[in-house]
Amino acid sequence: MRSFMGRDILSLKDFERGEYFRIFEVAKELEPIARNRRNVDLLKDKTLVVAFYQPSTRTRLAHEAAMHRLGGHVTGFADAKMTRAGDWYQESIKDTVKMLEYYGDVIVMRHFMQGAPAEAAKWATIPVINGGDGWGEHPTQILTDLYTVMREKGHIDGLKWLAVGDMRMRTMHSLAYALTKFDSEVTFVSPPNMSLTDEFKAEITEMGLNFKEAEHVEQAIGDADVILVEPVVQPDYTKARDERKGDVGGTPANYKITKELLQTKAKHDAILLHSFPRMDEIPTDVDSTHWARYWEEAFNGVVMRMALLALVLGAME
Ligand code: CP
């Protein structure tokens, strides 16, 4: 297995199967620190630089919380408008990163432009973690989801997935790549104008993913062990910031997981994941059902980032 030390985490496409399990092992080992709300000194000599060119609640703060839990330091920006990249200069990724690499030891970057973290990694002499790039990928989110499945089910192989939402979403791309490394079946359900592209389908077929598409969640929910949901009513991820204007409408029943649907059609032991933010695709009365695991996912998101930071910074091998 390749070492994680000094490595960029840009995509799950090139992740090896054994690497998932190593990350899960490290996460399990570090989990008690977060569970007991302790801070330790594992990364006390290290600094995380956050470079967020797009809004975020979870990804940035979970990385920051993870760094604090491991005793490290945090600097950076949550709004590129307050930097020279977001003002008159429109400073390039290269010039920005050639500065940031002296301010810390690892960069986590979110960007509205697909490929921006990879561009940063080309120039940075420190590891770059992709915190979501346009419609590209969101590797740390899907690592969080897979870790949640491991914790809840004890295994990933042999499970059937239902993935619902906008298939242009970066999470869906990382999910599809990741599942090619497991014995998994996945059914994708999305509006026709948000479906997987032919090019992407050809790519994941070539990579061996066992998948199909359906029009309505009702067609697939009965078989699913893991139900992963994303919005279909959502902003344009290629913009630095997309303000909501007026009524954006609701989620059609085809892409909605209601309490009634779960009670009448879902397996009793299925688990329901959502990376959040949500619109109305999972109504709030689902939150207290035994299917919901998104609050556990939130906790696991910190633990997963602790594991990744410890690994890429060489504090764990
Ligand atoms: N899940 C996720 O990426 O959330 P944020 O946009 O709040 O980071």
Side-chain angles (χ1 to χ4, degrees):
M1 190 193 312
R2 297 171 297 178
S3 170
F4 280 100
M5 189 173 163
R7 227 168 101 181
D8 303 309
I9 307 293
L10 300 172
S11 164
L12 294 186
K13 188 175 174 180
D14 63 353
F15 254 59
E16 295 167 11
R17 181 176 159 91
E19 292 172 343
Y20 289 99
F21 291 107
R22 180 60 193 140
I23 294 176
F24 300 153
E25 273 173 9
V26 171
K28 194 171 172 201
E29 196 176 328
L30 297 177
E31 183 180 320
I33 300 166
R35 181 78 61 199
N36 296 319
R37 296 184 179 276
R38 290 172 51 228
N39 292 350
V40 297
D41 62 4
L42 191 68
L43 296 181
K44 68 180 166 50
D45 297 326
K46 302 293 182 188
T47 298
L48 166 70
V49 183
V50 294
F52 274 61
Y53 293 76
Q54 223 180 19
S56 165
T57 299
R58 284 143 285 267
T59 309
R60 182 174 64 84
L61 294 174
H63 277 94
E64 292 192 4
M67 201 62 187
H68 289 302
R69 287 280 178 236
L70 297 178
H73 308 270
V74 178
T75 187
F77 56 88
D79 182 355
K81 275 207 166 5
M82 301 310 290
T83 73
R84 295 306 196 182
D87 82 345
W88 185 88
Y89 284 100
Q90 298 190 25
E91 194 165 25
S92 69
I93 298 268
K94 176 184 177 182
D95 290 2
T96 304
V97 162
K98 292 307 291 175
M99 304 294 141
L100 298 186
E101 65 178 353
Y102 297 111
Y103 307 157
D105 307 290
V106 55
I107 297 168
V108 58
M109 176 180 283
R110 168 168 289 188
H111 208 289
F112 50 90
M113 194 177 73
Q114 188 170 340
E119 167 72 7
K122 234 167 57 185
W123 303 109
T125 55
I126 60 174
V128 176
I129 297 174
N130 180 0
D133 60 326
W135 293 122
E137 277 204 63
H138 198 347
T140 68
Q141 178 59 52
I142 292 302
L143 287 169
T144 297
D145 295 331
L146 293 172
Y147 179 61
T148 303
V149 173
M150 274 299 280
R151 301 292 285 150
E152 298 291 329
K153 294 282 192 185
H155 59 102
I156 297 174
D157 287 324
L159 297 178
K160 290 187 176 168
W161 292 64
L162 166 60
V164 189
D166 184 341
M167 295 305 148
R168 297 170 304 171
M169 267 304 277
R170 46 204 182 197
T171 43
M172 295 298 182
H173 300 147
S174 291
L175 174 70
Y177 287 141
L179 291 184
T180 65
K181 299 300 190 300
F182 297 93
D183 172 20
S184 308
E185 288 178 46
V186 56
T187 302
F188 295 109
V189 178
S190 68
N193 61 335
M194 298 178 185
S195 61
L196 296 169
T197 65
D198 289 342
E199 190 185 9
F200 189 72
K201 281 194 275 193
E203 186 181 9
I204 55 178
T205 301
E206 173 73 23
M207 290 174 75
L209 184 63
N210 183 0
F211 74 95
K212 57 186 182 212
E213 293 170 285
E215 288 176 4
H216 199 299
V217 288
E218 283 186 357
Q219 295 167 325
I221 198 166
D223 282 338
D225 301 299
V226 182
I227 307 161
L228 184 145
V229 185
E230 291 282 7
V232 297
V233 180
Q234 61 171 355
D236 181 349
Y237 275 76
T238 64
K239 290 183 178 169
R241 188 176 187 89
D242 197 3
E243 298 292 344
R244 194 192 299 186
K245 294 178 197 80
D247 181 8
V248 292
T251 303
N254 301 46
Y255 320 111
K256 207 164 170 172
I257 306 294
T258 62
K259 189 172 178 177
E260 192 200 346
L261 182 68
L262 288 164
Q263 285 172 338
T264 55
K265 294 252 162 65
K267 282 188 181 178
H268 188 75
D269 63 350
I271 60 171
L272 177 62
L273 306 178
H274 193 309
S275 67
F276 279 51
R278 68 174 153 186
M279 295 293 282
D280 64 339
E281 62 280 1
I282 297 183
T284 53
D285 64 354
V286 172
D287 298 357
S288 56
T289 70
H290 63 80
W291 289 280
R293 290 295 191 288
Y294 25 90
W295 309 136
E296 285 80 358
E297 221 181 327
F299 170 75
N300 291 337
V302 177
V303 176
M304 175 48 59
R305 273 75 178 216
M306 289 166 68
L308 278 177
L309 290 167
L311 283 164
V312 300
L313 289 169
M316 312 267 296
E317 183 47 57

